[in-house]
Amino acid sequence: MNTPASILSSIDRQLHNQNNHPLSITRKIIASRFPSFKTHNTIFPVVTTKQNFDSLGFPPDHPGRSRTDTYYINKETVLRTHTSAHQADVFHANLSDGFLISADVYRRDAIDRSHYPIFHQMEGAMTWDRNASGPFLKRIREDLESLPKIENIEVSDPNPTIHPERNPLQGTHSAEEVGLMAAHLKRSLESVVVEIFTHARRAALTRGDDLPTKLEPLKIRWVEAYFPFTTPSWELEVFWQGDWLEVLGCGIIKQEILDKAGVSNRSGWAFGLGLERIAMLLFSIPDIRLFWSQDQRFLSQFSDTAPIKPFQPFSNKPGTTKDVSFWLNSTSSAAGGAVGKEFHENDIMELVRGVAGDLAEDVRLTDAFTHPKTGRKSLCYRIFYRSLERTLTHEEANGLHEDIRKKLVEGFGVELR
Ligand code: FA5
Ligand code: MG
């Protein structure tokens, strides 16, 4: 068990199902592009390692399984790290051709304005029954042709090179089948980003008074990716405020996964996207901690029925930066058996979250140094403390920082510098 109480107590928040919350608004906009899909919004987050990793073909030594990255409840039980954990079960139930799973997911990770140990994903999958009446290829082609046409989009790399070592063609699929299913996948997801970014760009424009009558085409590109459970695989990137932004991963489902789920007659595609990442740009939300705010000045700005408008920050309080430097003890291993033998950066992140909670905005390594004679290693972390809702006093920040220093010594046996 390496899951802190603060994480366990957030499980019942279910932000993606809270009315008038930006995550549920984002979820509903995306789901509106998949009207015939069966939706699952309340699947419980405690899953087996079999569901989260084995059912998806993760090798036994995959880093994602590590206790430094994943919250374990016990040896065989984890908080799901992605919504893909439920793919096999939903395929097995075989209730519909298409489904969407929206849920809270959990990862031990860095602290900054775009990372939080709990975030939300939406999984989508579509499969075709090879044995249904009518030729399989013809049915996919008809479904592809019936998808809405995408307008005002510029795809800079619609068919990136796929490397056969990373993303081999599956023996069970013909190249033509893969081509048609991939086209159906890409067109479906392009329609999602056009929908989302049209809202986002209209909202952003309402801030300036110089409203152009026509939006420029949205720029997107497809990039080859790797996932243990799809081949070929892609990521979709959108050009947003001067940069390419990854919004989702996807691919053609490996046939073994469908075979093991008892639906070897089916073939199709799957995707997984991050709801916070999309909601942040849809509403111009600058910090991922805000989604957890219970402050009416935050919550009152979002509505299920009103047009999307950009979030207006209600607090621009200054923060405080404090450094902590220490020598790692040569025997420095995490105490309490809560984490592995090696000191891992995610352990520091969790220690800081445990003490400062949402008052820690950013934690980063600013210096690492190994003493040439003794071989001892020294680290310096810079912590930025700030409340999004009120002014943080110096006494409070000092108190938090002192507590973190003390717990670093107690927990990891470091020597403060
Ligand atoms: C996955 O989690 C795969 N399960 C996605 C998938 C599903 C691939 C089905 C193929 C088929 P990844 O770890 O890249 O992949 O996360 C998917 C998306 O979640 C990312 O594109 C991003 O939008 C979002 N995401 C990932 N990590 C974070 C994070 N720490 N904070 C916010 N969003 C994140
Ligand atoms: Mg990724």
Side-chain angles (χ1 to χ4, degrees), residues 98-219:
F99 63 77
L100 298 174
I101 304 168
S102 301
D104 37 328
V105 302
Y106 299 77
R107 295 186 192 176
R108 294 181 96 235
D109 210 334
I111 297 181
D112 63 37
R113 286 156 72 95
S114 64
H115 287 85
Y116 203 78
I118 315 179
F119 63 100
H120 297 76
Q121 285 188 336
M122 185 192 280
E123 189 92 359
M126 163 93 194
T127 58
W128 288 267
D129 183 348
R130 292 170 167 274
N131 301 339
S133 66
F136 179 54
L137 275 175
K138 183 161 169 274
R139 283 183 283 122
I140 310 176
R141 192 175 291 117
E142 280 166 8
D143 284 349
L144 174 62
E145 279 158 12
S146 72
L147 288 176
K149 292 280 166 287
I150 315 282
E151 274 162 27
N152 218 20
I153 193 167
E154 191 182 303
V155 188
S156 68
D157 201 355
N159 291 302
T161 306
I162 296 295
H163 297 87
E165 335 71 63
R166 286 182 87 202
N167 276 303
L169 183 69
Q170 305 188 46
T172 43
H173 297 29
S174 75
E176 200 180 2
E177 286 167 7
V178 172
L180 280 176
M181 289 191 287
H184 189 276
L185 166 66
K186 287 176 177 172
R187 173 105 57 95
S188 303
L189 292 172
E190 286 168 2
S191 119
V192 169
V193 293
V194 167
E195 179 74 14
I196 288 285
F197 282 83
T198 303
H199 283 287
R201 292 190 298 171
R202 290 226 178 85
L205 286 174
T206 59
R207 280 189 298 197
D209 35 24
D210 196 16
L211 282 174
T213 48
K214 192 166 155 286
L215 290 174
E216 290 290 302
L218 180 69
K219 282 205 194 79

Side-chain angles (χ1 to χ4, degrees), residues 227 235 246 248-249 277:
F227 300 102
E235 275 163 0
E246 174 201 321
L248 59 87
R277 208 161 273 185

Side-chain angles (χ1 to χ4, degrees), residues 52-65:
N52 201 77
F53 301 117
D54 302 323
S55 74
L56 294 158
F58 278 78
D61 59 348
H62 192 280
R65 294 182 186 254

Side-chain angles (χ1 to χ4, degrees), residues 137-394:
L137 275 175
K138 183 161 169 274
R139 283 183 283 122
I140 310 176
R141 192 175 291 117
E142 280 166 8
D143 284 349
L144 174 62
E145 279 158 12
S146 72
L147 288 176
K149 292 280 166 287
I150 315 282
E151 274 162 27
N152 218 20
I153 193 167
E154 191 182 303
V155 188
S156 68
D157 201 355
N159 291 302
T161 306
I162 296 295
H163 297 87
E165 335 71 63
R166 286 182 87 202
N167 276 303
L169 183 69
Q170 305 188 46
T172 43
H173 297 29
S174 75
E176 200 180 2
E177 286 167 7
V178 172
L180 280 176
M181 289 191 287
H184 189 276
L185 166 66
K186 287 176 177 172
R187 173 105 57 95
S188 303
L189 292 172
E190 286 168 2
S191 119
V192 169
V193 293
V194 167
E195 179 74 14
I196 288 285
F197 282 83
T198 303
H199 283 287
R201 292 190 298 171
R202 290 226 178 85
L205 286 174
T206 59
R207 280 189 298 197
D209 35 24
D210 196 16
L211 282 174
T213 48
K214 192 166 155 286
L215 290 174
E216 290 290 302
L218 180 69
K219 282 205 194 79
I220 69 155
R221 69 180 181 195
W222 291 97
V223 181
E224 185 186 18
Y226 173 80
F227 300 102
F229 37 96
T230 51
T231 183
S233 311
W234 298 270
E235 275 163 0
L236 173 54
E237 296 187 347
V238 176
F239 197 70
W240 181 249
Q241 294 173 347
D243 227 335
W244 289 103
L245 177 78
E246 174 201 321
V247 291
L248 59 87
C250 66
I252 303 300
I253 304 160
K254 281 195 185 165
Q255 201 58 39
E256 297 105 273
I257 291 171
L258 294 161
D259 292 349
K260 277 196 267 170
V263 285
S264 50
N265 56 313
R266 292 189 161 270
S267 297
W269 54 249
F271 70 83
L273 58 79
L275 286 173
E276 274 83 354
R277 208 161 273 185
I278 292 181
M280 285 172 91
L281 56 94
L282 185 54
F283 295 98
S284 307
I285 294 175
D287 190 306
I288 197 165
R289 290 174 293 166
L290 281 163
F291 291 107
W292 297 88
S293 175
Q294 317 228 35
D295 191 316
Q296 278 311 315
R297 292 171 297 174
F298 176 75
L299 293 172
S300 67
Q301 296 197 29
F302 307 95
S303 157
D304 285 338
T305 48
I308 307 286
K309 55 181 189 350
F311 169 67
Q312 302 293 324
F314 51 82
S315 160
N316 204 2
K317 306 295 186 204
T320 313
T321 297
K322 290 185 184 296
D323 288 350
V324 54
S325 311
F326 50 86
W327 292 106
L328 285 179
N329 202 308
S330 47
T331 58
S332 245
S333 59
V339 259
K341 286 193 193 67
E342 302 272 297
F343 175 87
H344 192 284
E345 182 156 290
N346 284 345
D347 298 335
I348 282 240
M349 299 295 168
E350 195 136 277
L351 190 151
V352 173
R353 287 219 193 265
V355 172
D358 286 359
L359 298 174
E361 178 164 312
D362 193 280
V363 179
R364 67 184 68 191
L365 184 67
T366 53
D367 192 39
F369 157 84
T370 304
H371 193 283
K373 291 216 177 81
T374 63
R376 275 179 98 191
K377 197 170 177 192
S378 159
L379 300 176
C380 178
Y381 279 90
R382 179 159 293 171
I383 309 178
F384 183 56
Y385 297 94
R386 172 158 64 174
S387 165
L388 292 171
E389 291 163 0
R390 60 188 173 82
T391 302
L392 193 64
T393 65
H394 280 296

